[in-house]
Amino acid sequence: MNGGLHSLRVIARQLISLSALVLCTPGVMGAQAMCSTPWRLDEVLRIGSLEGTDLVTSVMDLAIGPDSALYVAQAMVPEITVFSPDGRVLRRIGRAGQGPGDIQFAGLGVGWIADTLWISDLNRIQLFTTDERVPEEVIQFSVSVPEEGSRLTPGRMLADGTPIGRRVITDGRARLSRGASPGLALRRLSRSGEVLDTIAIMHWPDNAVQNERDARLFPGIHPLRDLPLIGLKEYLTALRPDGTAVVQIGKVHEDATPPTFELLVISIGGDTLLHRTVEYARREVNSAMERRLADEYAGWRVGDYAPSSLSAPQLTEATLERRRRAARDVFRVPEHHPPVRQVVAGTDRTIWLLREMREDRVDVWEIYGSDGTLEGTVEIEQGRGSLKPWHPRLAIVLASRDEVWGTTFAEYDVSYLHRYRVDRTCAP
């Protein structure tokens, strides 16, 4: 395995060196010369059905292997399902259990670094090279970060063969005591759990909702500041699929003239590959939007949107409404919408940004090139990306200028995995 690790690190250095060629001189980007016609997503493949058993619940992660097959991790499914490019099930990797080759509860992440398949579950990452049933190595640790009220377990693999930590909140009071917006560290760790360095600082929002039942728990996630459905699970921060860099939204300068936000790409070695300041127009959170979000948040807290299989014991409507009122009482919205809701790092080094929530619920994605140039937009008007009503209409898993993979929920909470061809034709 040592020879394989050396190969991984050599490949990683080559990839990171290529990344450093990206233009990284800070600058301000306003309006771009681009086609005013949004790019169109044309569906070419759909996996899942009401009667099928191949895709049974929400997709947690997806990777395309060296064999062009799809490696799919699903919530509450202790295996990785491998699909052919046309959607046929080829095989399944893993089984329920805690031993080597088993998957605890569900695969939370899956990916490839060179010829090594990695699968993460609740608190470990397993590496497979020659046999999908027997891992070459199991990475498992738990690192306490008391000042952030959290601990880190193995989350995702980076291009140099080291893992990045998955954050598990253990004490919400410690997080809140650090002030309104101190930021959280995105750490790179050794395979035995030592903290090697900090890749980036993530600017955590200051309008999360205080947990009204137990102050030790992490504050409830705000609909305008929710975490991404798939991927790194950190606020406005995404890991490139090849594991060489993170893409993130840095500081938002709402009171500047004009308002701006920072678009950053940082290598896993900590080098800034891109730093752009993007202008935007502030959009007020009006009273209708505030009422809608408060009602949706309150409904989520009492289980109004949960699937029937996860429903809690039936409570009286009077009790449910009392709990909804309690949730509304602690719910607040900022004066203006955050300019970016989610970030997706493209497989071709594009950067996909989901912009402000709109009253008509149309999702607008902006696509930037590796040099920070705005290249196009995509508008998604239909679909439901998760059971939370405020989430994007399409949960994007992988994206490029040519194709997009994403997941939706249909009626009866049936999950679907979609592949779209991106039509970038500019209409006259």
Side-chain angles (χ1 to χ4, degrees), residues 307-324:
S308 55
S309 60
L310 298 179
S311 296
Q314 187 63 41
L315 301 175
T316 66
E317 183 55 36
T319 299
L320 291 173
E321 185 53 36
R322 184 167 61 252
R323 293 186 177 183
R324 293 188 192 99

Side-chain angles (χ1 to χ4, degrees), residues 31-40 358 364-367 374-379 423-428:
Q32 300 294 317
M34 55 166 280
C35 179
S36 60
T37 304
W39 297 351
R40 190 173 71 245
R358 296 187 358 177
V364 177
W365 288 86
E366 292 183 342
I367 300 91
L374 179 62
E375 296 184 1
T377 61
V378 169
E379 295 183 0
D423 184 349
R424 291 179 279 133
T425 302
C426 187

Side-chain angles (χ1 to χ4, degrees), residues 142-206:
S142 179
V143 179
S144 177
V145 189
E147 67 273 17
E148 294 178 355
S150 62
R151 62 183 174 89
L152 301 177
T153 62
R156 303 183 75 82
M157 290 300 293
L158 301 176
D160 64 355
T162 60
I164 197 167
R166 174 183 293 115
R167 192 181 311 278
V168 179
I169 300 301
T170 57
D171 189 351
R173 292 178 301 188
R175 169 69 188 96
L176 292 173
S177 67
R178 301 175 68 229
S181 185
L184 296 176
L186 186 65
R187 295 178 174 88
R188 186 172 69 92
L189 300 103
S190 71
R191 295 191 176 200
S192 57
E194 291 84 7
V195 176
L196 299 177
D197 51 44
T198 294
I199 298 175
I201 297 295
M202 299 167 293
H203 299 278
W204 191 263
D206 59 1

Side-chain angles (χ1 to χ4, degrees), residues 153-299:
T153 62
R156 303 183 75 82
M157 290 300 293
L158 301 176
D160 64 355
T162 60
I164 197 167
R166 174 183 293 115
R167 192 181 311 278
V168 179
I169 300 301
T170 57
D171 189 351
R173 292 178 301 188
R175 169 69 188 96
L176 292 173
S177 67
R178 301 175 68 229
S181 185
L184 296 176
L186 186 65
R187 295 178 174 88
R188 186 172 69 92
L189 300 103
S190 71
R191 295 191 176 200
S192 57
E194 291 84 7
V195 176
L196 299 177
D197 51 44
T198 294
I199 298 175
I201 297 295
M202 299 167 293
H203 299 278
W204 191 263
D206 59 1
N207 68 326
V209 183
Q210 177 66 46
N211 189 296
E212 66 269 23
R213 286 179 290 183
D214 189 342
R216 295 173 299 175
L217 299 177
F218 197 59
I221 295 300
H222 197 288
L224 292 178
R225 307 280 196 175
D226 210 347
L227 297 177
L229 299 171
I230 298 168
L232 196 57
K233 302 292 186 177
E234 295 286 7
Y235 182 65
L236 295 185
T237 304
L239 178 65
R240 277 183 179 166
D242 63 7
T244 60
V246 296
V247 180
Q248 69 170 174
I249 300 301
K251 292 182 179 180
V252 176
H253 305 278
E254 183 177 292
D255 297 328
T257 306
T260 62
F261 62 83
E262 297 176 0
L263 179 59
L264 300 168
V265 178
I266 304 171
S267 79
I268 59 174
D271 299 321
T272 300
L273 307 178
L274 174 71
H275 182 183
R276 283 288 179 267
T277 303
V278 183
E279 298 176 4
Y280 75 98
R282 282 190 300 262
R283 292 188 57 236
E284 181 183 356
V285 181
N286 59 35
S287 56
M289 176 69 78
E290 181 176 6
R291 288 193 298 271
R292 178 186 117 188
L293 294 177
D295 288 343
E296 290 178 352
Y297 173 78

